[in-house]
Amino acid sequence: MSEEKILIVEDCESTANYLIFRLEKLGYRPLSPLCTGEEVLDKISGLKPDLILMDVELEGKLNGIETAARIRKKYDVPVLYLTSHSEDEFLQQAKITEPYAYLIKPVKERELLANVEMALYRHKTEKHLLHTRKMEALGTLAGGIAHNFNNILVIIIGYAELALDDLSEDNPIKENLKEILSGGLRARNMIQQILSFCQISEQEKMPTDIGSLLEENLSLLRCSAPENIDIRHHITAEQRDIQADMSRIQQVIIQLCINAFQAMEEKGGILDIRLANTEICPEDISDLNTSASAGDKYIELSVADTGHGMSPEIRERIFEPFFTTGEIFRHSGMGLAVVHGIVKNHGGFISVSSEPGKGSRFRVLLPLAEEGR
């Protein structure tokens, strides 16, 4: 059965039961139907439907169009209208709420399937497009700030180094200058992270065995992991060469593992790292929002933890720069945004699946080097 939850808002019991039967037959998850707009507004935050089938004529003070208008102001949920008529006056009034389609009763199974599938696909595509544009805008803004800040740092670091060369070792000012220089160098490293997120820093790519790179970093990870975390790894990939900047891919591995450590630090758990060859399947095209074709060969890095997991609201924002669920002085908020930028710059894709209390799993798909295809 499909993961998408569909809420039916219909005051006619026989029509609601018919829609439930048809949706279940088509493989969807219909929720218990509601009869009034007031019920919908009261329960929608707990139900979290992926799609609403809304009758335009409802019992109570709110009709379907008014209910949809209020939903639109607060929630990002697509609505399909159910109606027995399609007069121009009704259509003009309904347009304001931007419904995804109108289904004329009695609803035919083929029309129901086509409109439900198209609404879910269109909504997912629109969300991805909005997210992409937001990330591009943030990248442009961050890149401009980073370049200007970098010019200032060149002056600070350069003159600090010149001053240090001119002072004797016993000069008390020298320690102060060393602190200035150290701070400038840390700031320069942060600038490199921002530029990595913006995908505009210089990266030298060459054939890299990601399997060997992962194995080399496992010993480092085991040394730095808390004692209550068990690290397990499974490397089954036979074709492991990718065209990559080795240091950047190492950064991806380390950052994803650190993220998992932080999710499990209170109660401990299992960090499961896997590396395998894979081919793009139709489900991947939808989940990863990728333009790749089914059958394209990739290597998949999977990093899964048994930590506290994430709510859908946090999961949707996890790759945004400066977004963090940790204490502000502990996390920079740039880690996963940088990972996203590096993976995208290498022609790859990254996704996350997570539920509260059930841990998280990050998937990184990177294209194989030409000779490995």
Side-chain angles (χ1 to χ4, degrees):
M1 182 173 283
S2 172
E3 292 295 320
E4 286 90 354
K5 296 182 292 185
I6 300 178
L7 175 62
I8 299 167
V9 186
E10 170 62 66
D11 54 13
C12 175
E13 185 177 354
S14 60
T15 300
N17 289 336
Y18 169 79
L19 290 169
I20 290 174
F21 171 74
R22 290 300 181 191
L23 288 169
E24 288 179 340
K25 183 181 177 184
L26 294 169
Y28 290 103
R29 288 177 58 196
L31 301 170
S32 298
L34 302 178
C35 299
T36 68
E38 289 82 358
E39 277 187 300
V40 177
L41 297 175
D42 181 53
K43 297 181 178 181
I44 188 172
S45 61
L47 294 173
K48 297 180 180 177
D50 298 290
L51 178 68
I52 299 176
L53 298 182
M54 178 85 71
D55 187 7
V56 297
E57 297 176 357
L58 297 172
E59 297 176 355
K61 296 181 180 180
L62 298 173
N63 64 29
I65 296 174
E66 293 168 330
T67 303
R70 296 195 183 189
I71 289 172
R72 185 173 177 273
K73 288 181 179 179
K74 192 172 181 180
Y75 302 98
D76 182 25
V77 183
V79 175
L80 297 181
Y81 280 138
L82 301 169
T83 178
S84 300
H85 52 81
S86 57
E87 289 83 359
D88 288 343
E89 183 180 349
F90 157 74
L91 292 175
Q92 291 300 322
Q93 184 184 3
K95 276 181 184 178
I96 301 172
T97 60
E98 299 182 357
Y100 277 57
Y102 305 91
L103 295 175
I104 307 298
K105 300 178 186 178
V107 182
K108 297 178 181 178
E109 184 175 300
R110 182 173 294 181
E111 291 179 358
L112 180 65
L113 173 62
N115 282 281
V116 166
E117 285 197 347
M118 286 303 298
L120 290 169
Y121 176 76
R122 176 184 156 194
H123 184 245
K124 189 171 186 177
T125 303
E126 287 175 349
K127 285 180 68 176
H128 174 62
L129 181 61
L130 180 63
H131 177 74
T132 300
R133 287 176 175 172
K134 181 168 66 174
M135 295 290 279
E136 288 174 351
L138 284 169
T140 301
L141 175 62
I145 294 172
H147 277 301
N148 290 331
F149 191 35
N150 210 33
N151 291 335
I152 298 171
L153 282 176
V154 168
I155 299 171
I156 294 172
I157 293 172
Y159 277 97
E161 289 175 338
L162 289 173
L164 281 169
D165 290 341
D166 290 340
L167 295 176
S168 60
E169 285 297 328
D170 58 350
N171 194 309
I173 299 176
K174 196 154 191 173
E175 288 304 316
N176 294 336
L177 285 170
K178 286 181 179 179
E179 288 298 322
I180 293 172
L181 180 59
S182 176
L185 293 174
R186 288 198 301 272
R188 187 174 66 183
N189 289 336
M190 179 63 74
I191 291 295
Q192 291 304 312
Q193 288 192 45
I194 295 174
L195 293 177
S196 291
F197 161 69
C198 301
Q199 303 170 43
I200 54 180
S201 58
E202 291 298 322
Q203 300 182 14
E204 183 181 354
K205 298 185 180 73
M206 60 184 65
T208 301
D209 182 344
I210 188 173
S212 297
L213 184 63
L214 177 58
E215 289 171 337
E216 289 171 6
N217 282 277
L218 281 171
S219 58
L220 173 64
L221 290 169
R222 287 193 168 92
C223 291
S224 60
E227 293 182 357
N228 59 354
I229 292 177
D230 179 20
I231 298 178
R232 302 175 184 178
H233 74 281
H234 309 269
I235 300 178
T236 59
E238 295 180 358
Q239 298 175 342
R240 312 194 308 189
D241 281 351
I242 59 174
Q243 197 73 15
D245 179 331
M246 187 170 64
S247 65
R248 299 298 188 189
I249 298 303
Q250 182 181 38
Q251 190 176 352
V252 168
I253 295 169
I254 297 297
Q255 184 61 56
L256 290 179
C257 292
I258 289 175
N259 192 71
F261 291 162
Q262 292 170 352
M264 298 186 288
E265 60 186 350
E266 291 183 7
K267 299 180 180 180
I270 299 170
L271 172 61
D272 187 75
I273 307 170
R274 296 174 182 266
L275 192 68
N277 292 122
T278 188
E279 291 185 0
I280 292 289
C281 62
E283 291 77 12
D284 288 327
I285 293 174
S286 175
D287 293 342
L288 299 170
N289 291 296
T290 171
S291 57
S293 301
D296 286 354
K297 295 182 179 180
Y298 285 78
I299 193 162
E300 178 178 335
L301 170 68
S302 169
V303 179
D305 65 69
T306 57
H308 49 64
M310 293 178 277
S311 66
E313 294 78 15
I314 292 176
R315 191 174 65 240
E316 287 184 3
R317 299 188 60 195
I318 201 70
F319 296 116
E320 292 181 12
F322 310 114
F323 176 76
T324 176
T325 57
E327 301 88 344
I328 191 167
F329 292 112
R330 185 177 171 192
H331 310 307
S332 70
M334 282 299 296
L336 289 175
V338 171
V339 166
H340 181 277
I342 293 171
V343 172
K344 188 175 180 182
N345 185 256
H346 282 74
F349 313 98
I350 184 169
S351 67
V352 59
S353 57
S354 181
E355 291 183 37
K358 296 185 178 180
S360 303
R361 177 176 176 245
F362 287 84
R363 292 179 67 209
V364 175
L365 269 65
L366 295 166
L368 291 166
E370 289 298 326
E371 55 268 28
R373 285 186 182 273

